[in-house]
Amino acid sequence: MSGERGGPPPRGVALGDSRQSSAHADVPPSPTPRGSVMTEPFTLGVASGDPFHDSVVLWTRLAPDPLAEDGLGGMPDRTVEVEWQVAHDEHFSDVVASGTAETGPDDAHSVHVEPGGLRPSADYFYRFRWDGEISPVGRTRTAPEPGSRPDRFTFAIASCQSYTNGHYTAQAHLAEEDLDLVAFLGDYIYETEDQGEIGRGHFPEVEVRSLAEYRLRHAQYKTDTDLQAAHAAFPWAVVFDDHELENNWADDTSYEEDIPRERFLRRRARALKAYYEHMPLRRPQRPNGPDLHLYRTLSYGTLVDLHMLDTRQYRDPQVEDDERDDPERTLLGAEQRRWLSSRLSGSRAVWNVLAQQVFFSQRDFADGPPHEFSDDAWDNYRVERDAVRDELAGVGSPVVLTGDVHANYVVDVKADFDDPDSETVATELVGTSFTSGQDGSEQDPTDEVQLRGNPHIRFLNRRRGYVRNTLTPEQWTADFRVVDRVSEPGAPIRDRATFVIDAGEPGARPRD
C-alpha cells in the first residue's frame, strides 16, 4: 500500500488523507452537508476495539455519501474488497499484518477485521484502502499477556453523546489522553427526532425505526471529526443502553408504545444490526436477528477483569415501586447472571469491574417516606441487585462503572443501603454524559434532597465530560474530567474531582 503520511501524529489525531496523492487532508466537516456526495469513501473514520493480548478488531465503513437517504452511504450495490494493514509505525515501513476483507450492501459496506499474531501490550497503527483511496490512520494497543502482572492500566469511561445537545468538545479532549482503552457505556446515538438548539439537528428529522434510518443516524454521529479522533486514538469497548433502539426498552417490550412483541423485535433487529455495522465489535457480537451477544470479559493480565454487561436485552419490564421486590425479577437474565457469577468466582484479578449501563446502588429521590426510585435502574430489580452486590463483596477490589444518568457520582456500595453504618462492600463510579442534558451544572436544585436521603452517595456533579481511571496493583485513581459548556465548541477541560480507592479496601476517598 503506497501513500504513507509523514511525521508522527499527536496522540488522538486521525491521520492523513484519503487520497494517495495528497498529505494530511482533512476528513469531512461535521455534519456532512445533506445531499452532498463526497469524493472519498472513509468519511466515517476508523476505529478499533476489544483488545486481546494477541489481536484487536479493526473497523471502518465505506460511505462516500454518508447521508444518502437509502442508508447505504453512496456505495455501489455490489460486494467489494477492502485492503487493510497493521504496522509498528505510523509510516507503515514495518507492516506486521495485512490482508483484504470483503463487504457489501448487506453490511452497509462496513468492515470488521481481527488481525492475530500481535504482540502483547504493544502499540500498532492501522489503515484501510479501497478504490485507490487510503483511510485515516488509527492507533491501537493490545492487552497484556494472560497471567502477566501489569503495573498500570489507564482507561476512560464515557456515555450519552446526544448529537443535538452539544458539540463533541469532551471527545476532542479525550483524544489527547494516553489511554489503554475507552469503555463506552451506552447511548452512542439517540433515536429521537430532536433538532436541538445549536444547529446540530438529527437527520433524518424523525424518530428512527427502519434499518436505513438507524444507519443514517449512526453515520451522522460518526461524521463528527472529534468523535473520529477519539476512536482513532485507542481501542474502545462498547455496550449499548436504550437510545440505540428506543427509550427505556426492556427485552422484547417497548416502554413507550403499546405494540405487539413481534413488531418490536423487528425494530430491535434493525437497530442492533445498524449498531454492529458501526461499532468495532468482534464476530461473536454479530447479531442474529434481534439478538446480539454483548456481554463479555476483557482481561488485562492479573491487574483487572473488565466485565462488560448488557442490562437491556434480558430484563423484565419496569414496574411500579410496590412491585420491585419480586424475587423473580431480573435485569441480567438467567444466562448472563450465571455467566457473571462464574466470572466473578473464577477471577484472580486485583480489580473486578462491572462496566454497565444503569445506576446500581440504591437512589431514593424522595424527601422522606414514601421512597421514590427510578424504574429503569437496578432499584427496580432490588433482589437481584442485592444478590450481585453480595457476590461482589466476596471478590477482590470490586468496582461498578455506570453511565446513563448524565451526572458524575461516587457511591459507597453498602451491605445494607438502608443502614448507613453497614459495611461498604464495593465502589460505584458513575460517569456523566459527553453532551446529553446540554451544558449541565454543578448540581440541580433537587440534588440536596438526593444527597441527604442517600448518605452512601459521596459526590455528585452534573457537568459534561468523562472519567479517567488509572489502576495499579495498589490503587485506583478516578479523575472526573469536565467541561463547563458544550453548547458551543472550545471549552477547556479540568479535573472537577479526584477519588482514590485502595486495593482490598472498598470505598473511595477524595485525593488529598
Side-chain angles (χ1 to χ4, degrees), residues 153 155 297-309 339-355 388-389 391-401 413 425-429 471-473 476 501-504 506:
F153 172 61
F155 76 108
T297 298
L298 297 176
S299 295
Y300 284 75
T302 60
L303 184 58
V304 58
D305 282 344
L306 188 65
H307 308 295
M308 310 292 294
L309 303 187
W339 168 85
L340 178 59
S341 293
S342 175
R343 289 289 181 174
L344 290 174
S345 64
S347 175
R348 299 295 178 265
V350 174
W351 300 96
N352 280 273
V353 181
L354 307 188
V388 172
R389 175 200 61 196
E391 286 188 37
L392 289 174
V395 303
S397 302
V399 177
V400 180
L401 303 176
V413 180
V425 300
T427 303
E428 182 173 13
L429 303 176
L471 283 60
T472 72
W476 178 310
I501 310 166
D502 294 320

Side-chain angles (χ1 to χ4, degrees), residues 50-183:
D50 279 23
F52 295 170
H53 73 283
D54 59 354
S55 72
V56 66
V57 60
L58 309 178
W59 173 91
T60 193
R61 181 189 165 203
L62 307 177
D65 184 7
L67 299 188
E69 290 188 1
D70 62 2
L72 294 177
M75 285 293 291
D77 186 20
R78 61 180 172 86
T79 298
V80 301
E81 283 196 343
V82 181
E83 298 174 79
W84 58 270
Q85 287 182 327
V86 178
H88 284 306
D89 65 306
E90 68 271 15
H91 304 294
F92 289 82
S93 59
D94 186 10
V95 174
V96 299
S98 63
T100 61
E102 190 175 272
T103 185
D106 286 348
D107 297 313
H109 289 93
S110 62
V111 180
H112 296 77
V113 175
E114 298 179 29
L118 305 181
R119 298 183 309 183
S121 300
D123 285 349
Y124 289 96
F125 297 84
Y126 62 95
R127 63 182 181 179
F128 301 87
R129 184 171 69 179
W130 178 73
D131 196 31
E133 304 284 349
I134 297 178
S135 75
V137 174
R139 182 190 280 107
T140 193
R141 182 174 294 171
T142 52
E145 191 170 4
S148 63
R149 299 177 178 273
D151 58 7
R152 185 182 178 92
F153 172 61
T154 303
F155 76 108
I157 62 169
S159 64
C160 304
Q161 56 179 11
S162 168
Y163 190 87
T164 67
N165 275 193
H167 296 273
Y168 286 175
T169 308
Q171 288 90 321
H173 289 295
L174 178 71
E176 297 302 319
E177 302 276 6
D178 184 9
L179 304 174
D180 298 299
L181 185 76
V182 172

